């Protein structure tokens, strides 16, 4: 029924064209990219293919799946269908006659995993729909021409593939990585260079004007609209494709020079065989980016070094002949920080509630970082997480009498339960004791739904050794 509603809504014909939101919309300036390696487009996608019924229907379904917050106009994704039923003929007419004017994006700041904040620009849902429709058409035409060494935001490609390719290059003897970090890439993309690259692939001036409109729509901050003279705002469906188009120039240059590299969005690693070669490449590529794309390399975050001391998409690599994927130290630190936040002993929530919320994070984390090849680290993180949960239970029991009764109830021998319940040590120290390992075994947390970080290899074998040490008469166990 929903699909039929979509068809009715988007099959309204040309209808009434309607008036443009800004009839005096500025004409698009089509710059020429000096470093563009593609030939000028003889034809290319048209606006008719973007507003075509089936394409719009697929775009609508994708926007609904993505959900997302409202833009500057406050319209929600749920309200999009009823709005389109009434206004789609006018919007379609504006797109076809080249007068559609995108609305300013809503500025949102989100914390970055590595510290600081990332600026997002949230378009209104109508603009997200149109960007998604344009993305579907443009990506189908452009993606096959992109480099085989590019993995970010591309159909059928993933971060795991990028990490695996990097691993293979290291294993083949490329022992030095030129780790390039582009300074605020998404915020500093030059509009004229980018539009020049688009113009090499698109001849329909309505599409060129629409993309330029999205780039220069402005940003709503504290009720005021500010201009956007550079950058492609993160948050819109079209932004990743435009960033790939921009950095494809870098890819083609690296291929032309015969370099071995892997790029995922603005993370680019070039692999060479010596430190001296790496330093030459860093200097040369930095000059190329500045001269041809007007992009700046962040020298504080970029380096020429051994891959083992750098991170790539959250992973690092072991040294030696048998190169393996491992978790980068920053990844482990972020994992612990997030789990600590979710398992604070002052949250006033039951153990069941905490495990339920924690499991959502762990499943998502495992889905990505379970790709590492060092299960020992994953098991250590599992043990540490269970210890956090045992500390919560101990804290919630509060009194010694309650603690003793609960330990006995959970199968702990009186001789062990008594000194543990009367111990003066805090919850974190007691959480590592044999008594709590018995009271809260691994199997207990599994019944609560706590997922394993190493699902392919059981970690609750009865033959597993337990390492102990003494805490003032109370033994300690890692479990």
């Amino acid at each position: 029924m929903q699909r039929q509603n979509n068809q009715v809504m988007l099959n309204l014909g040309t209808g009434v064209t309607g008036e443009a939101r800004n009839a005096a919309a500025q004409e698009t300036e089509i710059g020429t990219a000096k470093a563009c390696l593609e030939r000028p487009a003889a034809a290319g996608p048209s606006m008719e293919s973007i507003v075509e019924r089936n394409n719009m229907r697929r775009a609508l379904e994708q926007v609904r799946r993505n959900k997302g917050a409202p833009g500057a106009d406050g319209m929600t994704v749920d309200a999009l269908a009823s709005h389109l039923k009434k206004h789609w003929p006018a919007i379609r007419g504006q797109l076809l006659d080249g007068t559609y004017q995108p609305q300013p994006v809503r500025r949102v700041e989100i914390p970055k995993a590595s510290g600081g904040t990332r600026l997002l620009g949230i378009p209104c849902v109508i603009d997200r729909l149109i960007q998604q429709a344009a993305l579907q058409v443009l990506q189908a035409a452009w993606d096959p021409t992109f480099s085989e060494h590019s993995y970010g935001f591309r159909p059928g490609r993933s971060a795991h593939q990028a990490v695996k390719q990097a691993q293979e290059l290291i294993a083949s003897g490329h022992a030095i990585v030129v780790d390039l970090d582009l300074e605020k890439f998404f915020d500093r993309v030059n509009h004229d260079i980018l539009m020049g690259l688009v113009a090499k692939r698109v001849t329909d001036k309505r599409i060129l004007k629409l993309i330029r409109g999205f780039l220069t729509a402005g940003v709503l901050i504290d009720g005021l609209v500010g201009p956007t003279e550079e950058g492609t705002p993160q948050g819109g469906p079209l932004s990743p494709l435009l960033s790939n188009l921009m950095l494809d120039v870098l890819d083609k240059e690296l291929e032309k020079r015969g370099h071995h590299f892997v790029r995922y969005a603005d993370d680019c690693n070039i692999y060479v065989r010596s430190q001296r070669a790496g330093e030459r490449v860093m200097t040369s590529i930095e000059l190329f980016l500045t001269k041809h794309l007007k992009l700046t390399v962040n020298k504080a975050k970029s380096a020429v070094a051994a891959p083992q001391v750098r991170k790539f998409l959250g992973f690092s690599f072991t040294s030696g002949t048998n190169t393996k994927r491992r978790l980068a130290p920053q990844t482990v630190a972020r994992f612990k920080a997030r789990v600590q936040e979710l398992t604070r002993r002052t949250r006033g929530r039951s153990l069941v509630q905490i495990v339920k919320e924690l499991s959502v994070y762990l499943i998502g984390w495992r889905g990505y970082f379970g790709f590492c090849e060092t299960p020992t680290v994953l098991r250590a993180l599992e043990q540490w997480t269970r210890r956090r949960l045992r500390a919560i239970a101990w804290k919630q029991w509060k009194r010694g009498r309650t603690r003793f009764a609960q330990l006995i109830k959970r199968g702990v021998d009186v001789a062990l339960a008594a000194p543990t319940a009367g111990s003066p040590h805090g919850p974190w120290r007691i959480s590592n004791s044999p008594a709590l390992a018995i009271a809260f075994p691994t199997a207990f947390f599994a019944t609560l739904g706590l997922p394993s970080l190493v699902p392919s290899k059981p970690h609750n074998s009865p033959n597993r050794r337990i390492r102990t040490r003494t805490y003032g008469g109370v033994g300690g166990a890692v479990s």
Side-chain angles (χ1 to χ4, degrees):
M1 183 65 181
Q2 186 65 56
R3 183 174 291 276
Q4 289 179 338
N5 289 341
N6 291 346
Q7 289 178 341
V8 171
M9 175 179 59
L10 295 176
N11 191 22
L12 299 176
T14 55
V16 180
T17 300
E19 295 180 357
R21 294 177 186 171
N22 182 3
Q26 183 180 359
E27 286 297 325
T28 303
E29 295 178 12
I30 304 175
T32 301
K34 296 179 181 179
C36 182
L37 302 178
E38 290 79 19
R39 297 176 181 176
S46 67
M47 184 63 76
E48 282 75 13
S49 61
I50 291 176
V51 301
E52 188 267 332
R53 185 186 65 184
N54 289 333
N55 187 58
M56 292 301 304
R57 185 171 66 245
R58 287 194 299 118
L60 176 60
E61 291 170 352
Q62 186 61 48
V63 169
R64 282 174 165 166
R65 282 193 295 269
N66 291 342
K67 298 180 180 179
D73 61 355
M75 184 188 300
T76 65
V77 173
D78 293 336
L80 178 59
S82 59
H83 181 85
L84 289 174
K85 287 179 182 178
K86 183 177 180 180
H87 298 285
W88 174 244
I91 296 171
R92 183 178 185 275
Q94 292 170 15
L95 290 169
L96 288 174
D97 63 24
T99 58
Y100 182 83
Q101 186 68 28
Q103 298 184 45
V105 299
R106 182 168 65 88
R107 171 60 50 83
V108 176
E109 294 185 6
I110 62 171
K112 296 173 65 174
S114 57
T117 59
R118 187 186 304 278
L119 300 179
L120 294 185
I122 308 300
C124 66
V125 291
I126 291 293
D127 286 343
R128 294 213 293 270
L129 173 69
I130 295 171
Q131 284 196 37
Q132 180 63 37
L135 170 68
Q136 291 166 182
V137 171
L138 297 178
Q139 189 167 55
W142 298 356
D143 191 80
T145 70
F146 289 159
S147 170
E148 287 296 313
H149 305 281
S150 165
Y151 292 88
F153 310 118
R154 297 183 60 187
R157 288 172 169 259
S158 69
H160 285 173
Q161 291 174 337
V163 173
K164 191 172 188 302
Q165 179 62 37
Q167 180 184 7
E168 291 174 357
L169 289 173
I170 296 168
S172 68
H174 296 82
I176 297 294
V177 60
V178 180
D179 188 354
L180 289 171
D181 183 279
L182 298 178
E183 189 170 354
K184 297 183 178 179
F185 168 72
F186 287 94
D187 299 329
R188 295 185 176 176
V189 168
N190 182 281
H191 288 174
D192 291 326
I193 293 177
L194 177 58
M195 288 307 303
L197 294 168
V198 176
K200 293 291 183 178
R201 296 169 178 260
V202 175
T203 57
D204 191 324
K205 292 185 178 181
R206 296 167 299 178
I207 297 179
L208 295 173
K209 186 175 181 181
L210 179 67
I211 294 175
R212 171 74 77 165
F214 284 129
L215 293 174
T216 60
V219 179
L220 181 66
I221 306 175
D222 297 329
L224 299 176
V225 177
T228 48
E229 298 176 350
E230 62 179 3
T232 170
Q234 297 183 73
L238 202 53
S239 181
L241 178 64
L242 295 178
S243 68
N244 269 336
L245 178 64
M246 188 80 162
L247 290 177
D248 189 59
V249 176
L250 171 62
D251 296 342
K252 294 302 194 314
E253 180 65 19
L254 293 175
E255 289 176 350
K256 180 181 176 182
R257 298 184 185 189
H259 289 311
H260 299 275
F261 70 98
V262 182
R263 183 177 66 79
Y264 189 95
D266 57 336
D267 289 329
C268 184
N269 279 5
I270 308 168
Y271 294 90
V272 296
R273 295 184 182 274
S274 70
Q275 182 74 21
R276 185 175 179 181
E279 290 171 357
R280 283 200 308 267
V281 170
M282 174 68 83
T283 301
S284 177
I285 295 303
E286 183 178 357
L287 180 62
F288 175 85
L289 288 168
T290 303
K291 180 178 180 181
H292 295 289
L293 296 180
K294 296 186 179 179
L295 295 173
T296 303
V297 172
N298 187 331
K299 294 186 178 181
K301 294 183 178 181
S302 301
V304 178
Q308 294 76 24
V309 299
R310 303 296 296 175
K311 68 179 178 71
F312 182 52
L313 303 178
F315 294 91
S316 185
F317 305 93
T318 61
S319 56
T321 55
N322 186 18
T323 303
K324 291 185 177 181
R325 301 182 294 271
R326 64 173 183 171
L327 300 179
Q330 300 92 324
T331 297
V332 175
R334 287 196 293 267
F335 173 88
K336 288 191 171 184
R338 180 58 176 155
V339 172
Q340 284 175 333
E341 180 183 348
L342 293 171
T343 57
R344 289 198 313 271
R345 295 190 288 275
T346 57
R347 295 188 68 194
R349 300 168 67 103
S350 71
L351 196 62
V352 172
Q353 291 173 319
I354 290 173
V355 169
K356 183 178 180 181
E357 186 177 352
L358 177 63
S359 296
V360 175
Y361 171 72
L362 293 181
I363 290 171
W365 189 91
R366 180 187 65 190
Y368 182 76
F369 289 108
F371 188 59
C372 78
E373 296 176 310
T374 51
T376 302
V377 177
L378 297 180
R379 292 192 186 98
L381 292 176
E382 281 184 343
Q383 294 169 0
W384 178 83
T385 300
R386 289 194 296 269
R387 185 178 174 185
R388 294 281 307 177
L389 295 173
R390 291 184 182 112
I392 291 173
W394 189 254
K395 177 75 173 179
Q396 291 177 346
W397 287 343
K398 296 182 179 179
R399 298 181 179 85
R401 203 174 275 181
T402 303
R403 289 169 173 171
F404 178 77
Q406 288 290 342
L407 290 175
I408 295 297
K409 179 181 177 181
R410 293 172 181 274
V412 181
D413 186 81
V414 174
L416 183 58
T420 303
S423 172
H425 297 303
W428 179 244
R429 195 161 181 178
I430 294 297
S431 67
N432 204 36
S433 68
L436 262 68
I438 295 171
F440 297 102
T442 302
F444 168 78
F445 293 113
T447 63
L448 295 184
L450 187 72
S452 169
L453 297 182
V454 195
S456 60
K457 294 183 180 180
H459 54 273
N460 55 354
S461 170
N463 297 323
R464 182 169 50 89
R465 294 181 60 190
I466 297 179
R467 176 169 52 86
T468 62
R469 60 175 179 253
T470 301
Y471 295 113
V474 180
V478 176
S479 171

